[in-house]
Amino acid sequence: MRRTMLASAGILGMVSLMAVTGVSAMSPQPTDPSVAMMAQMAERNFPSGTQAVVLVAGNAPPADWMAASALAAHLNGPVLATPNPAQLGPTVNEALSQMAIPAVSQTTQPFQPPAGKPAVYAIGLTSIAVATLQAEGYTVTALNNLAPNALLKAVNQWVAPPVPSQMAGFPSSWTSYAGGPTHNAVFPAPPGAPLWETAGVHWQTPEMAAVPFSANYPDLLNLGERSAPVKMTQDLGNAVGVTAVNGIIYAESDDYHLYAMDARTGQVLWTAGPTVNALMGNPLVADGLVFVSAGDTGFPFSQLLKYDLSGGTAPLVRGLGYAALYAFNAQTGRLVWRQDFHGNAMATPIVVGNTVYQPTGGGNLWAMSATTGHVLWKTNLGGFDSMSSPNYWYNPETHAGEVIVGTSDANHVVAVNAATGQIIWTQPTNLAIFNTGMGDNSPTVDPQNGIVIQDSVVDFNHANGTCNLAVYAMNAATGQMLWSTDLGRGAAPPAYKAGVAMVANGVVYVGSPVTSTFYALNESTGQVLWSFAIPKAGPAGAGRGNAVLADGVLWLAAGPSIYALNPATGQEISQYTPGGRFGIVNPVIVGHTMYLDNSYDWVQAIPLTLIDPHLG
């Protein structure tokens, strides 16, 4: 669906869409065996149909055939040759009918496009042939090359568009989760920035497993309102936020692919994958490479049995499938290197200098050369990582860099020397951590004050299935706990049982999926300053992704909506519902555009003024 929709939009803007009414070259005979063979190959390659078909008149010039081939590959559809420009003939008609996607279910599922006839891209066909197709219910885009090689040039512009290399206002690298240690991914447009950046742009780009915004959650009938949206976040769409570097939006998806999109238009520049497992983090970009890690939420039954038989003393390894860290060329998407792991690699890695660090469900923190993937060292953390993306702090007294990450079983926060792999400190806390606890959440670092913020579900009540969510601050140099604040009890969340914090101006902003409420806390004392109850949170809970602060407004994506809040009071200024649902997604703001993705497997750009008209 992604490629069909976007290719149509792109070509519409670059090529005259008119039926070909005159043909001077000799047409092949209807009995030409090549027509039948192409039809047969189409039926064999797409036995359950496809969303797009490219129809080419058999006498089309070589450049048009090249364009048809490239367009079909981009759309993931076949090329069919017609026996002459005015008629399809029975063989092509039959093959075209076989390209319709059958109606097999009324429920939506990923990778299952909607039933119906394919969109037809007609090259070299007469207006009579086009009208006949339209009368039969096909949506037809008639492509007319008005000058030699015009169609080929237009398709080339869409399939292989220019890739931005630098863009004012965009960061030149992205080396940690949510764009930096404080998790405030905001990049103001500088003087002289292009108008589109200062005014904001609006687009929506579907990825490979995208489901319509109007659709219910897949598996809703089987799983219910509490678990179905969680499954979407874990297995279908985008779990966390996007990355914005040099005019490119990078997004990684549970559909096993990494996407690079033009930040101005949403046009897909390249797609890499499939990877060995789902991609659930922020792509990191540094020194011309994009780093993504692959993993899953499962536990092998053998691991659980071993853990149970040991009375809870045997170490657990999280990750049911394969796991790896990838490095791709940031401009082309070409694979540069890959490192495999035992245990999941769901968490976003971190890049410091020329070293990339990856925590895993196997309980280790790996350090690798960012250039080659060569393993420098690995350190056992004393517990497995789930979705806790590491952060970084430089100690000005010891001049040591610390990679800081949360783990589960045992539940603690660990600081590791970035150069040697030696553990500097471990903070287990004295809280009654529940379930995957600290290994679920990504710690936040305030570099100026040397404070680490983390939160976890605590105090689980087996009788009624409720728990609390505790936020706590630690000394970044020693791990000593500075304060702890309980945010309130509620039903234990079904997955990602925490909220990612953001720190700005001495305030900790954090959500709780336990209470589906967003909070502001004094960074020095932990005192709750205000709270905002998230509307339409649903039984799965909301408030997992961090907010960002820009233009004097606190921006939050939670549940189905985006909220503009007064950062001093928590009062709602406005809200906007763009479609889809946000799991652990954080907004990314460049200039006056918010970039974000969602569990429905879409990436979106939204002008800030559309969310909050007061800014206009």
Side-chain angles (χ1 to χ4, degrees), residues 491-586:
Y496 201 92
K497 305 168 181 65
V500 181
M502 186 273 287
V503 178
N505 305 322
V507 179
V508 177
Y509 299 98
V510 64
S512 169
V514 174
T515 60
S516 293
T517 301
F518 200 79
Y519 303 86
L521 288 75
N522 183 296
E523 184 185 8
S524 299
T525 66
Q527 177 187 357
V528 175
L529 304 176
W530 54 256
S531 62
F532 168 73
I534 299 169
K536 302 177 183 178
R544 294 171 172 86
N546 63 270
V548 297
L549 183 64
D551 293 314
V553 176
L554 190 69
W555 307 90
L556 172 68
S561 299
I562 302 167
Y563 301 92
L565 305 178
N566 183 316
T569 66
Q571 181 180 359
E572 181 181 316
I573 301 170
S574 61
Q575 66 170 281
Y576 177 73
T577 302
R581 178 187 181 274
F582 303 106
I584 321 165
V585 171
N586 59 283

Side-chain angles (χ1 to χ4, degrees), residues 380-408:
N380 188 285
L381 298 172
F384 65 85
D385 186 285
S386 291
M387 281 284 283
S388 182
S389 298
N391 213 322
Y392 180 80
W393 182 69
Y394 176 78
N395 189 324
E397 295 184 3
T398 65
H399 304 291
E402 298 180 9
V403 178
I404 302 170
V405 67
T407 68
S408 304

Side-chain angles (χ1 to χ4, degrees), residues 17-241:
L17 299 181
M18 300 164 51
V20 177
T21 57
V23 179
S24 59
M26 183 70 68
S27 300
Q29 297 299 314
T31 56
D32 189 336
S34 61
V35 172
M37 284 189 289
M38 292 187 73
Q40 186 179 45
M41 288 187 288
E43 293 177 21
R44 189 63 59 86
N45 286 328
F46 299 91
S48 294
T50 181
Q51 289 186 280
V53 173
V54 179
L55 279 179
V56 188
N59 67 318
D64 284 4
W65 275 99
M66 295 177 192
S69 177
L71 181 58
H74 188 68
L75 298 171
N76 193 30
V79 177
L80 292 175
T82 66
N84 63 64
Q87 295 179 330
L88 271 62
T91 300
V92 176
N93 270 318
E94 174 60 24
L96 193 57
S97 69
Q98 291 300 310
M99 293 301 100
I101 297 171
V104 295
S105 174
Q106 297 300 314
T107 60
T108 301
Q109 290 289 359
F111 301 106
Q112 178 57 48
K117 295 182 176 182
V120 174
Y121 296 80
I123 298 176
L125 299 188
T126 66
S127 57
I128 295 174
V130 170
T132 300
L133 287 166
Q134 291 172 332
E136 293 174 356
Y138 292 96
T139 300
V140 184
T141 300
L143 304 174
N144 182 23
N145 59 329
L146 300 179
N149 298 323
L151 179 60
L152 181 60
K153 291 177 181 178
V155 171
N156 178 68
Q157 180 73 12
W158 187 251
V159 174
V163 178
S165 56
Q166 289 183 326
M167 186 64 65
F170 282 78
S172 59
S173 64
W174 192 285
T175 57
S176 65
Y177 180 84
T182 64
H183 297 156
N184 192 34
V186 173
F187 308 93
L195 178 62
W196 69 265
E197 195 176 320
T198 57
V201 295
H202 193 198
W203 49 258
Q204 297 177 326
T205 299
E207 297 165 305
M208 288 192 179
V211 296
F213 288 145
S214 60
N216 280 327
Y217 309 131
D219 257 5
L220 177 62
L221 296 178
N222 294 322
L223 299 177
E225 291 279 354
R226 176 174 164 83
S227 296
V230 172
K231 188 172 183 178
M232 284 189 79
T233 300
Q234 293 179 340
D235 297 326
L236 190 158
N238 305 81
V240 302

Side-chain angles (χ1 to χ4, degrees), residues 237-615:
N238 305 81
V240 302
V242 300
T243 294
V245 171
N246 288 332
I248 300 175
I249 302 301
Y250 297 93
E252 52 182 275
S253 170
D254 294 336
D255 68 23
Y256 289 41
H257 288 84
L258 165 67
Y259 301 86
M261 302 173 187
D262 188 298
R264 181 175 66 87
T265 65
Q267 185 177 3
V268 176
L269 303 171
W270 53 258
T271 303
T275 51
V276 296
N277 213 322
L279 302 178
M280 297 192 189
N282 291 155
L284 301 185
V285 183
D287 296 324
L289 296 176
V290 184
F291 304 92
V292 297
S293 52
D296 63 77
T297 63
F299 289 93
F301 179 74
S302 59
Q303 282 287 322
L304 298 176
L305 182 62
K306 180 181 177 182
Y307 182 79
D308 185 59
L309 292 175
S310 71
T313 60
L316 266 175
V317 175
R318 186 168 198 178
L320 192 60
Y322 296 100
L325 174 66
Y326 293 82
F328 296 97
N329 184 292
Q331 289 284 297
T332 66
R334 183 175 178 83
L335 179 63
V336 177
W337 59 260
R338 187 189 83 192
Q339 173 63 47
D340 298 330
F341 305 112
H342 176 51
N344 85 76
M346 291 187 289
T348 300
I350 191 168
V351 175
V352 181
N354 191 44
T355 304
V356 57
Y357 302 87
Q358 178 70 56
T360 68
N364 295 304
L365 177 68
W366 296 64
M368 292 148 285
S369 164
T371 305
T372 65
H374 174 70
V375 176
L376 305 175
W377 49 259
K378 68 175 180 176
T379 293
N380 188 285
L381 298 172
F384 65 85
D385 186 285
S386 291
M387 281 284 283
S388 182
S389 298
N391 213 322
Y392 180 80
W393 182 69
Y394 176 78
N395 189 324
E397 295 184 3
T398 65
H399 304 291
E402 298 180 9
V403 178
I404 302 170
V405 67
T407 68
S408 304
D409 191 48
N411 269 295
H412 50 218
V413 178
V414 187
V416 179
N417 186 297
T420 66
Q422 179 182 358
I423 292 180
I424 298 174
W425 53 260
T426 298
Q427 172 53 267
T429 81
N430 56 1
L431 305 173
I433 305 294
F434 164 59
N435 204 272
T436 47
M438 287 185 269
D440 248 358
N441 199 39
S442 303
T444 304
V445 172
D446 181 345
Q448 305 253 329
N449 295 316
I451 294 176
V452 179
I453 305 294
Q454 179 67 310
D455 58 88
S456 171
V457 282
V458 297
D459 300 326
F460 180 67
N461 186 316
H462 288 272
N464 59 20
T466 65
C467 63
N468 212 315
L469 188 113
V471 183
Y472 46 98
M474 293 163 282
N475 183 305
T478 65
Q480 178 185 358
M481 186 177 289
L482 304 176
W483 52 258
S484 171
T485 301
D486 288 349
L487 296 182
R489 298 194 68 83
Y496 201 92
K497 305 168 181 65
V500 181
M502 186 273 287
V503 178
N505 305 322
V507 179
V508 177
Y509 299 98
V510 64
S512 169
V514 174
T515 60
S516 293
T517 301
F518 200 79
Y519 303 86
L521 288 75
N522 183 296
E523 184 185 8
S524 299
T525 66
Q527 177 187 357
V528 175
L529 304 176
W530 54 256
S531 62
F532 168 73
I534 299 169
K536 302 177 183 178
R544 294 171 172 86
N546 63 270
V548 297
L549 183 64
D551 293 314
V553 176
L554 190 69
W555 307 90
L556 172 68
S561 299
I562 302 167
Y563 301 92
L565 305 178
N566 183 316
T569 66
Q571 181 180 359
E572 181 181 316
I573 301 170
S574 61
Q575 66 170 281
Y576 177 73
T577 302
R581 178 187 181 274
F582 303 106
I584 321 165
V585 171
N586 59 283
V588 173
I589 295 176
V590 181
H592 277 84
T593 301
M594 179 183 293
Y595 296 98
L596 66 178
D597 47 17
N598 58 49
S599 300
Y600 277 60
D601 214 33
W602 291 71
V603 180
Q604 301 168 296
I606 305 170
L608 294 185
T609 51
L610 189 59
I611 306 168
D612 179 11
H614 302 90
L615 290 178

